């Protein structure tokens, strides 16, 4: 057997050669493994001391026969506080070749050194700047390390007890030290100041006055040092004898807390204000009363205050004069309200000149008065001065219309210059008045005293005592209109217009309930009543009445009823006809109004075919609707119901329609149907007789609707008058 140095770790071989009676050989290659070392680190934590620290390892197990090994360590500089990493390896030395070392590494720590501090400086006086003691290291500093501090405090500026806390600044050197902070309590003393006074003499001004103090020395920078004053609260009035006193102290403010001084008082005076008077540069004219030239306080009066003056006797300074005939003396009266003022006596000589009466300063206005059958008049609105008189002409008026009233003036020539003009004229209108309730649409026309209309009050009622068995209350209102006759126009729906049993019930002040007559015009139910306190519109909502009307009209036409109606019209001088149909349909209780077209048709009727019967029924229904046109007899003054100033019989053409006169034009406005309106406008008395005349709130012209009193209505009447005047 043969082998060579089969001791150290590595690959080796051994050979065997047979000898003697054997022959041959054999070789075996095998490995000697390295011995695995077990190691431990000597330390894993240090305290900062300014030196470099690297832990080392020592072999715990694995060395053979007391052999030694050499270790290498990773390159690390570990001086300051922190965590560090180190790795140990076997060095590349021959003595290490038989050993192996598993991965061996370590995180280790250098912890901060602990320091303590003390404080320097604690005597401070307020100076407006930051003031506080400083900390220094007492123990724990390493070498010459530059340990620095930062400070925290709530104020450290103002006077009083203060506190400050020191902490390590965030620097690389300071990171090697541990310091939890330390607090020092110290005091900043107040700054002493001295004061001086501003002006100490005053003139009355209506307000509290007192001298003000100001700092003469000791103030720091721009500190706003303020003061409190006492003993001055009532020091307002002038006091030139005893004077006043005020005491000053430092106000309770944050800034003032840094200062101190001893309280100080001072005496001072408030003097009277001298007044200066001036005279207005105006000419005095006769007024019938004593006069003196007006004066005013040119200088000295405080705010809106008033003073009282004594005047010399001027009671005889009344009439016109010349040569400075009058004199007035002015002085302050002996009144407490004047105690704050002084005035030297002042006088003024003057004259009073004749007056010019301005006729156009008189308020003499045209007016519209409500017709009530009583005489009416108008007068000037203002009072005339002494020495001026007025008399009126044509100023006792009763009827509806437009009138001229004359006022003639005269003056006392001793004190007035002669009048250049002495007469004024205005118009007076006497008319009906109309009230329109915006919320309900109800229109009320005053038929009595116009003044009562201003007291009109309508209150809708959800429940009404005005009822009839089997009827339903459609609407009800409480009325406060006084003891006056009035016409009421109440909006109703088309459905209600056609209902059966429609009634208007009114209750007067005595509690009596009566049904009143009404007409329906332009979706309005119109009725008149006097001295009522409540009205209600009731119906049974039976809609068969309309069909009954149509049947009645057809029967009347076929049976020659129209001819009978014609005879009735002739017997009543062709006045408005209302025919009560009786017989088999008498229970319909239907009232028809027949116009002259229906009468003319009846006169020409001989035989009617079925088609003609139906056509006649339609015509009759249309005429029934159209006959709701009503004509004005007592219109409001705007449409000229008093026609005394209209020239009757003067024809003219307006909007292409021939008009017999302006009066006939005004009458035609009450008719809605254009063809009938044109006939009335042309002066057709026969057409006019077939309509019941009633006051209106709405009129029509050429198919267009106009509300009386509206701008459109006024423009229509104006154009008609202009057309009539142009023809005349």
């Amino acid at each position: 057997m043969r082998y060579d140095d089969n001791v150290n770790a590595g690959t080796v071989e051994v050979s065997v050669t047979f000898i003697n009676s054997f022959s041959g050989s054999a070789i075996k290659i095998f490995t000697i493994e390295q011995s695995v070392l077990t190691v431990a680190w000597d330390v894993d934590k240090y305290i900062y001391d300014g030196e470099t620290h690297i832990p080392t390892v020592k072999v715990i197990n694995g060395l053979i026969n007391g052999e030694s090994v050499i270790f290498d360590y990773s390159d690390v500089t570990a001086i300051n506080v922190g965590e560090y990493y180190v790795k140990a390896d076997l060095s590349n030395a021959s003595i290490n070749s038989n050993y192996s070392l598993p991965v061996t590494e370590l995180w280790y720590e250098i912890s901060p050194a602990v320091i303590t501090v003390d404080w320097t400086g604690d005597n401070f006086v307020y100076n407006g700047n930051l003031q506080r003691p400083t900390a220094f290291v007492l123990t724990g500093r390493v070498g010459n390390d530059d340990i620095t501090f930062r400070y925290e405090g709530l104020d450290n500026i103002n006077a009083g007890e203060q506190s400050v806390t020191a902490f390590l600044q965030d620097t690389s050197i300071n990171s090697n030290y541990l310091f939890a902070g330390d607090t020092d309590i110290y005091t900043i003393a107040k700054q002493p100041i001295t004061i001086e006074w501003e002006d100490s003499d005053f003139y009355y001004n209506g307000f509290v006055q007192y001298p003000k103090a100001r700092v003469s020395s000791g103030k720091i920078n721009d500190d706003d040092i303020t003061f409190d004053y006492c003993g001055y609260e009532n020091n307002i009035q002038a006091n030139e004898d005893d004077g006043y006193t005020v005491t000053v102290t430092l106000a309770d403010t944050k800034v003032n807390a840094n200062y101190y001084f001893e309280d100080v008082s001072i005496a001072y005076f408030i003097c009277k204000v001298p007044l200066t008077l001036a005279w207005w540069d105006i000419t005095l004219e006769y007024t019938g009363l004593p006069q003196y030239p007006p004066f005013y306080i040119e200088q000295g009066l405080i705010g809106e205050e008033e003073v009282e003056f004594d005047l010399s006797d001027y009671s005889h300074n009344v009439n016109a004069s010349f040569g400075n005939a009058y004199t007035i003396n002015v002085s302050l009266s002996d009144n407490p309200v004047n105690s704050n003022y002084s005035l030297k006596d002042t006088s003024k000589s003057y004259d009073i000149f004749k007056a010019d009466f301005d006729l156009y300063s008189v308020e003499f206005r045209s007016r519209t008065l409500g017709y009530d059958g009583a005489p009416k008049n108008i007068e000037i609105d203002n009072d005339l001065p002494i020495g001026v008189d007025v008399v009126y002409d044509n100023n006792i008026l009763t009827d509806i219309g437009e009138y001229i009233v004359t006022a003639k003036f005269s003056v006392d020539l001793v004190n007035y210059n002669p009048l250049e003009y002495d007469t004024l004229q205005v118009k007076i209108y006497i008319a009906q008045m109309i009230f329109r309730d915006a919320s309900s649409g109800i229109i009320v026309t005053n038929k009595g005293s116009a003044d009562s209309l201003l007291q009109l009050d309508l209150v809708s009622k959800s429940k009404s005592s005005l009822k009839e068995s089997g009827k339903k209350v459609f609407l009800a209102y409480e009325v406060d209109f006084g003891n006056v006759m009035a016409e009421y126009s109440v909006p109703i729906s088309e459905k209600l217009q056609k209902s059966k049993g429609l009634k208007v019930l009114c209750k007067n002040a005595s509690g009596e309930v009566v049904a009143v007559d009404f007409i329906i015009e332009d979706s309005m139910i119109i009725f008149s009543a006097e001295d009522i306190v409540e009205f209600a519109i009731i119906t049974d909502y039976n809609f068969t009445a309309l069909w009954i009307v149509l049947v009645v009209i057809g029967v009347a036409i076929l049976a020659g009823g129209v001819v009978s109606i014609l005879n009735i019209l002739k017997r009543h001088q062709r006045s408005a006809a209302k025919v009560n149909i009786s017989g088999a349909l008498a229970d319909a209780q239907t009232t028809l109004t027949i116009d002259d077209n229906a009468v003319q048709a009846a006169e020409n009727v001989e035989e009617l075919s079925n088609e003609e019967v139906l056509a006649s029924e339609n015509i009759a229904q249309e005429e029934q609707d159209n006959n709701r046109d009503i004509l004005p007899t007592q219109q409001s003054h705007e449409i000229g119901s008093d026609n005394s100033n209209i020239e009757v019989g003067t024809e003219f053409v307006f909007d292409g329609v021939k008009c017999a006169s302006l009066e006939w034009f005004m009458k035609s406005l009450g008719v809605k149907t254009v063809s009938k309106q044109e006939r009335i406008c042309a002066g057709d008395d026969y057409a006019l007789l077939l309509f019941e005349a009633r006051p209106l709130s709405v009129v029509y012209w050429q198919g267009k609707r106009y509300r009386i009193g509206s701008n459109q209505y006024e423009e229509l009447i104006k154009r008609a008058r202009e057309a009539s005047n142009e023809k005349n």
Side-chain angles (χ1 to χ4, degrees):
M1 178 180 293
R2 181 182 176 187
Y3 56 88
D4 184 20
D5 192 21
N6 289 357
V7 176
N8 294 315
T11 302
V12 297
E13 66 179 30
V14 60
S15 61
V16 178
T17 303
F18 295 99
I19 60 174
N20 297 327
S21 58
F22 297 94
S23 63
S25 63
I27 298 175
K28 176 65 176 177
I29 298 174
F30 63 96
T31 300
I32 299 175
E33 300 291 342
Q34 291 177 322
S35 175
V36 178
L37 299 178
T38 300
V39 299
W41 294 93
D42 60 349
V43 66
D44 60 2
K45 187 173 184 180
Y46 300 91
I47 294 176
Y48 170 75
D49 59 4
E51 303 294 333
T52 299
H53 295 281
I54 300 176
T56 58
V57 296
K58 60 181 179 180
V59 178
I60 302 301
N61 191 20
L63 283 178
I64 304 300
N65 297 326
E67 290 182 353
S68 63
V69 292
I70 300 173
F71 295 98
D72 285 337
Y73 298 94
S74 57
D75 188 13
V76 60
T77 301
I79 300 175
N80 296 315
V81 170
E83 276 192 328
Y84 297 94
Y85 172 81
V86 62
K87 183 178 180 183
D89 291 303
L90 287 171
S91 67
N92 191 20
S94 59
I95 62 173
N96 293 340
S97 61
N98 291 318
Y99 297 95
S100 66
L101 180 67
V103 175
T104 302
E105 56 189 1
L106 176 69
W107 281 95
Y108 66 101
E109 176 185 3
I110 298 178
S111 58
V114 176
I115 63 171
T116 61
V117 301
D118 201 356
W119 296 88
T120 62
D122 57 2
N123 295 319
F124 302 99
V125 176
Y126 171 76
N127 63 5
N129 299 319
L130 184 70
Q131 299 184 89
R132 56 195 175 198
T134 57
F136 63 92
V137 177
L138 186 63
T139 62
R141 185 197 303 269
V142 174
N144 295 319
D145 280 355
D146 184 16
I147 300 174
T148 55
F149 298 95
R150 63 179 177 85
Y151 301 92
E152 292 182 5
L154 295 178
D155 187 343
N156 303 140
I157 296 176
N158 295 307
E161 185 178 86
Q162 300 283 358
S163 67
V164 62
T165 302
F167 299 95
L168 285 174
Q169 286 187 325
D170 187 14
T171 66
S172 58
I173 292 296
N174 288 352
S175 64
N176 293 317
Y177 294 92
L178 180 62
F179 177 60
D182 190 69
T183 299
D184 185 36
I185 304 299
Y186 67 102
T187 299
I188 297 178
K190 293 183 177 182
Q191 172 71 29
I193 60 172
T194 58
I195 66 168
E196 60 186 8
W197 294 92
E198 299 176 354
D199 294 340
S200 57
D201 289 324
F202 303 91
Y203 281 95
Y204 169 78
N205 66 0
F207 300 97
V208 171
Q209 297 184 85
Y210 53 90
K212 306 298 190 298
R214 60 190 173 200
V215 178
S216 59
S217 66
K219 185 171 74 169
I220 302 300
N221 300 326
D222 294 324
D223 278 358
D224 183 17
I225 299 176
T226 55
F227 300 96
D228 282 338
Y229 301 88
C230 61
Y232 68 91
E233 291 79 2
N234 298 316
N235 301 354
I236 300 175
Q237 307 299 323
N239 186 342
E240 298 178 338
D241 298 326
D242 299 328
Y244 297 110
T245 300
V246 65
T247 301
V248 62
T249 60
L250 277 174
D252 185 14
T253 67
K254 183 177 180 180
V255 170
N256 288 354
N258 295 313
Y259 298 93
Y260 78 92
F261 78 101
E262 299 294 334
D263 295 349
V264 179
S265 298
I266 188 173
Y268 66 100
F269 297 91
I270 297 178
C271 304
K272 293 182 178 182
V273 179
L275 298 179
T276 302
L277 298 187
W279 303 89
W280 289 107
D281 186 18
I282 63 172
T283 299
L284 296 180
E285 291 186 351
Y286 171 78
T287 63
L289 301 173
Q291 295 185 81
Y292 59 88
F295 59 89
Y296 62 95
I297 300 174
E298 185 178 49
Q299 187 176 3
L301 192 64
I302 303 302
E304 300 296 327
E305 289 190 1
E306 296 181 357
V307 293
E308 293 184 1
F309 297 98
D310 285 336
L311 304 177
S312 60
D313 183 17
Y314 67 95
S315 60
H316 302 292
N317 304 358
V318 177
N319 293 321
S321 65
F322 63 92
N324 288 331
Y326 303 121
T327 300
I328 189 75
N329 295 312
V330 182
S331 61
L332 280 176
S333 63
D334 187 14
N335 190 305
V337 300
N338 296 335
S339 61
N340 295 309
Y341 297 94
S342 63
L343 173 69
K344 293 181 179 179
D345 292 347
T346 304
S347 64
K348 175 73 173 178
S349 297
Y350 63 99
D351 282 313
I352 296 176
F353 295 87
K354 285 186 177 183
D356 288 314
F357 176 63
D358 182 7
L359 190 61
Y360 297 105
S361 67
V362 176
E363 295 183 10
F364 194 29
R365 299 176 296 164
S366 296
R367 293 179 183 167
T368 299
L369 303 177
Y371 170 78
D372 59 4
K376 301 185 182 301
N377 68 292
I378 59 174
E379 296 181 355
I380 61 176
D381 292 340
N382 44 348
D383 295 329
L384 292 176
I386 297 173
V388 180
D389 295 313
V390 61
V391 293
Y392 300 95
D393 184 42
N394 192 32
N395 199 22
I396 305 296
L397 306 167
T398 302
D399 296 331
I400 291 175
E402 177 181 317
Y403 306 93
I404 300 294
V405 178
T406 301
K408 189 168 184 177
F409 298 83
S410 61
V411 298
D412 170 17
L413 295 178
V414 174
N415 290 304
Y416 288 91
N417 294 315
L419 291 176
E420 184 176 0
Y421 304 100
D422 63 357
T423 302
L424 293 177
Q425 288 185 328
V426 296
K427 290 184 179 181
I428 180 173
Y429 305 90
I430 299 179
Q432 289 181 344
M433 304 297 286
I434 297 175
F435 172 84
R436 296 171 176 83
D437 183 59
S439 61
S440 66
I442 295 176
I443 300 172
V444 183
T445 303
N446 185 12
K447 310 294 287 185
S449 170
D451 293 338
S452 298
L453 187 59
L454 301 178
Q455 302 171 3
L456 177 61
D457 189 15
L458 293 173
V459 179
S460 178
K461 297 190 66 175
S462 59
K463 293 184 178 180
S464 175
S465 60
L466 307 183
K467 297 179 180 179
E468 285 189 6
S469 176
K471 302 285 186 180
K472 181 175 182 180
V473 177
F474 171 65
L475 57 80
Y477 279 85
E478 289 183 356
V479 182
D480 181 11
F481 193 37
N483 185 18
V484 175
M485 173 64 73
E487 179 184 84
Y488 297 82
S489 300
V490 182
I492 61 172
S493 66
E494 181 179 357
K495 182 177 180 181
L496 187 63
Q497 294 177 43
K498 299 176 181 179
S499 65
K500 180 180 178 181
L502 190 62
K503 282 188 176 183
V504 177
L505 300 181
C506 294
K507 182 168 69 174
N508 60 25
S510 301
E512 181 183 3
V513 178
V514 296
V516 298
D517 294 333
F518 62 89
I519 64 169
I520 296 177
E521 161 68 27
D522 195 25
S523 298
M524 291 266 193
I525 187 166
I526 303 172
F527 63 93
S528 296
E530 182 177 10
D531 189 22
I532 66 172
V533 296
E534 183 179 348
F535 71 83
I537 298 176
I538 66 174
T539 177
D540 56 10
Y541 282 97
N542 187 338
F543 296 103
T544 63
L546 179 60
W547 298 104
I548 294 175
V549 170
L550 295 177
V551 174
V552 170
I553 293 172
V555 171
I557 293 174
L558 292 175
V562 173
V563 176
S564 298
I565 294 170
L566 177 60
N567 293 330
I568 293 172
L569 291 174
K570 290 178 179 178
R571 284 198 302 270
H572 289 81
Q573 299 179 352
R574 309 181 70 82
S575 61
K578 293 186 177 179
V579 182
N580 293 327
I581 306 300
S582 59
L585 299 175
D587 59 344
Q589 297 294 317
T590 305
T591 300
L592 302 180
T593 304
I594 309 300
D595 75 349
D596 58 316
N597 288 334
V599 173
Q600 186 64 41
E603 291 174 346
N604 297 330
V605 166
E606 293 181 358
E607 256 184 278
L608 298 174
S609 65
N610 290 336
E611 291 80 2
E612 289 172 327
V613 170
L614 292 175
S616 297
E617 291 175 352
N618 292 335
I619 291 171
Q621 180 62 50
E622 179 182 355
E623 295 303 333
Q624 181 188 9
D625 294 337
N626 290 338
N627 280 338
R628 289 175 180 149
D629 295 338
I630 52 180
L631 296 176
T633 55
Q634 283 190 346
Q635 301 281 353
S636 59
H637 73 275
E638 292 92 343
I639 64 173
S641 56
D642 180 358
N643 297 311
S644 60
N645 61 338
I646 299 176
E647 184 178 350
V648 179
T650 304
E651 294 185 356
F652 65 99
V653 177
F654 179 57
D655 287 349
V657 178
K658 179 183 176 181
C659 301
S661 68
L662 188 58
E663 180 183 15
W664 281 102
F665 164 76
M666 301 300 289
K667 291 178 179 180
S668 74
L669 295 180
V671 180
K672 183 175 182 181
T673 306
V674 175
S675 61
K676 299 174 190 176
Q677 185 179 66
E678 291 179 350
R679 290 173 57 191
I680 295 172
C681 196
D684 189 341
D685 284 321
Y686 180 73
L688 181 63
L689 285 173
L690 292 176
F691 296 93
E692 179 184 4
R694 296 193 56 157
L696 295 176
S697 59
V698 176
V699 297
Y700 301 88
W701 178 246
Q702 294 295 286
K704 185 175 180 180
R705 183 172 179 266
Y706 294 86
R707 178 71 65 182
I708 291 178
S710 66
N711 293 336
Q712 294 83 354
Y713 170 79
E714 298 292 347
E715 180 63 23
L716 174 68
I717 302 304
K718 178 181 177 183
R719 291 196 302 111
R721 289 186 182 275
E722 290 174 351
S724 174
N725 293 337
E726 182 178 354
K727 179 64 177 178
N728 292 338

